[in-house]
Amino acid sequence: MHKKVEEIKERALAACAKADTLQDLTHARVRFLGKKGELTALLRSMGQLPAEERPKFGRLVNEVRDRLEERWQQKETELFEAEEQRRLLEERIDITLPGRQVARGSFHPLTQVINQAKEIFMGMGYQVVEGPEIEEDYYNFEALNIPPDHPARDMQDTFFITEELLLRSQTSPVQIHVMEKQQPPIRIIAPGKVYRADSADVTHSPMFHQIEGLVVDEGITFADLKGTLQLFAERMFGPETKTRFRPSYFPFTEPSAEVDVSCIMCRGKGCRVCQDTGWLEVLGSGLVDPRVLKKVGYDPEKVSGFAFGMGVERIAMLKYGIHDIRLLFENDIRFLSQFSN
Ligand SMILES: [Zn+2]
């Protein structure tokens, strides 16, 4: 049996030396040293020996096992290092290759205008708020001084969902939500999507964006409105921009005014874009009608306010010289990438 041990040892060492991958080495290990391996089997058959020889034989087998284990470990380290070396050589990186260009995205022109307006008004202490796009008739019309039979409802073709629910046709209902929750002083802008049953053409889209503004405090006058919008126009369209206020009508403001800016194309000299008037209409505005203030529980004797609203598409088209509103919604990358900054 001692001879058998020697013989297994020799074969095991030979197998170990022959293995040239980690996988081969593991296989050989299982064959000789595993639970069902040859050496283990030999140890189990020790019972056949006379009792006095068993300890000596046990020691011998264990010595051989230790010797083999040691050899295996050495070989494993060698193979592991060799494989790592090979991988490093294969994966060598050529640092002289030119880099791959990663295309950078950019903001949509409408987002750029909204972000710029936010920045301008936040600089004047305004908060940016949002409201729901599915709105109740009350918020979209009635609370804004537009009762069911009011002719102003004809000014807007509204998408009704039920008799009481609709897709908001303006961002003005956000004013009411804010005033219901907060007491003056209020200074907010509310950018967002609005919907009207218009078919799409060069200047119309059934979905577009507005930015609503509202200020309510003690002693707010028309002069505050003019100063605010003049500053906005200068920051949005350039420092030489002039503004002009024309009397107008909106149900929820009194008095009301349309606001024009001097044409940014011809600087007021007259061109095709401004139809030779030198002015471009960009905003609707006015002092908040006392009836609207009363409806949300404010005292119109104590506080007053102004409101304004602008179309984001209109401003973007003027600023970037875009002639067809539909281009803004076709998402053609070739078109949009012209406005990346
Ligand atoms: Zn012009």
Side-chain angles (χ1 to χ4, degrees):
M1 275 186 97
H2 290 230
K3 237 178 150 183
K4 187 104 195 266
V5 176
E6 271 309 308
E7 188 252 334
I8 291 175
K9 181 181 157 191
E10 289 311 317
R11 277 197 292 121
L13 287 174
C16 180
K18 227 183 101 197
D20 47 14
T21 66
L22 284 166
Q23 209 185 4
D24 286 353
L25 193 68
T26 308
H27 282 314
R29 187 198 160 85
V30 171
R31 185 143 54 88
F32 293 102
L33 296 169
K35 268 187 194 154
K36 291 178 181 165
E38 292 189 36
L39 204 62
T40 319
L42 204 61
L43 209 56
R44 283 208 184 109
S45 65
M46 199 162 65
Q48 297 163 9
L49 287 173
E52 66 273 17
E53 284 186 33
R54 285 180 202 162
K56 203 179 149 209
F57 181 74
R59 257 199 315 280
L60 176 69
V61 174
N62 281 331
E63 269 170 31
V64 169
R65 174 186 289 273
D66 289 348
R67 169 89 181 86
L68 290 177
E69 288 280 9
E70 194 187 326
R71 186 72 200 94
W72 243 267
Q73 290 241 310
Q74 264 176 12
K75 180 77 179 187
E76 197 175 50
T77 313
E78 280 167 28
L79 285 177
F80 185 78
E81 278 171 7
E83 255 174 49
E84 193 165 63
Q85 203 62 34
R86 196 172 59 235
R87 205 167 56 234
L88 282 175
L89 281 173
E90 277 169 8
E91 289 177 1
R92 191 189 293 176
I93 293 167
D94 183 354
I95 56 166
T96 63
L97 280 174
R100 280 191 200 111
Q101 188 93 38
V102 179
R104 273 180 73 209
S106 63
F107 283 117
H108 191 282
L110 294 177
T111 310
Q112 289 185 39
V113 169
I114 291 173
N115 286 348
Q116 203 188 341
K118 280 183 186 172
E119 226 168 86
I120 294 168
F121 284 106
M122 284 187 327
M124 294 191 259
Y126 285 62
Q127 265 185 306
V128 178
V129 297
E130 281 178 7
E133 286 172 33
I134 293 177
E135 194 52 277
E136 292 169 32
D137 183 281
Y138 176 79
Y139 288 97
N140 197 76
F141 291 122
E142 212 167 320
L144 291 162
N145 206 24
I146 317 173
D149 301 326
H150 199 286
R153 289 203 180 205
D154 295 340
M155 286 161 68
Q156 301 170 1
D157 289 312
T158 309
F159 285 114
F160 278 91
I161 298 167
T162 66
E163 260 192 29
E164 279 304 309
L165 286 180
L166 47 84
L167 290 178
R168 68 177 178 194
S169 60
Q170 47 188 350
T171 41
S172 309
V174 183
Q175 293 181 17
I176 306 298
H177 288 293
V178 170
M179 287 193 285
E180 280 182 350
K181 284 187 212 106
Q182 287 180 37
Q183 288 300 310
I186 282 171
R187 198 170 270 113
I188 56 125
I189 58 163
K193 293 186 179 76
V194 299
Y195 302 86
R196 288 186 199 176
D198 283 325
S199 29
D201 62 23
V202 176
T203 52
H204 293 88
S205 161
M207 185 280 293
F208 57 102
H209 298 76
Q210 285 188 335
I211 299 173
E212 190 79 11
L214 174 71
V215 170
V216 182
D217 202 351
E218 286 173 24
I220 296 292
T221 69
F222 207 90
D224 297 312
L225 170 65
K226 288 185 77 172
T228 301
L229 294 181
Q230 173 64 36
L231 192 62
F232 168 76
E234 286 172 18
R235 300 242 166 107
M236 181 58 87
F237 297 110
E240 323 80 31
T241 310
K242 295 186 185 70
T243 52
R244 179 174 83 169
F245 288 70
R246 283 181 292 107
S248 184
Y249 167 77
F250 302 108
F252 43 95
T253 47
E254 180 60 35
S256 304
E258 298 267 12
V259 183
D260 300 340
V261 295
S262 49
C263 179
I264 54 177
M265 305 293 167
C266 63
R267 304 205 167 182
K269 285 189 204 82
C271 69
R272 196 174 51 81
V273 175
C274 59
Q275 289 163 331
D276 287 321
T277 61
W279 295 95
L280 299 165
E281 184 191 318
V282 291
L283 274 152
S285 69
L287 292 185
V288 182
D289 193 305
R291 270 176 288 191
V292 174
L293 295 176
K294 236 184 245 165
K295 256 205 155 100
V296 295
Y298 289 0
D299 182 354
E301 299 297 323
K302 277 198 186 136
V303 293
S304 54
F306 64 75
F308 55 86
M310 62 188 97
V312 177
E313 280 76 4
R314 167 111 177 118
I315 292 176
M317 288 167 79
L318 292 172
K319 242 175 112 78
Y320 300 119
I322 300 166
H323 303 298
D324 188 334
I325 194 172
R326 291 170 294 193
L327 289 168
L328 291 168
F329 300 115
E330 281 168 359
N331 286 333
D332 185 333
I333 294 288
R334 290 166 303 177
F335 169 75
L336 294 176
S337 61
Q338 297 174 72
F339 310 100
S340 62
N341 47 7

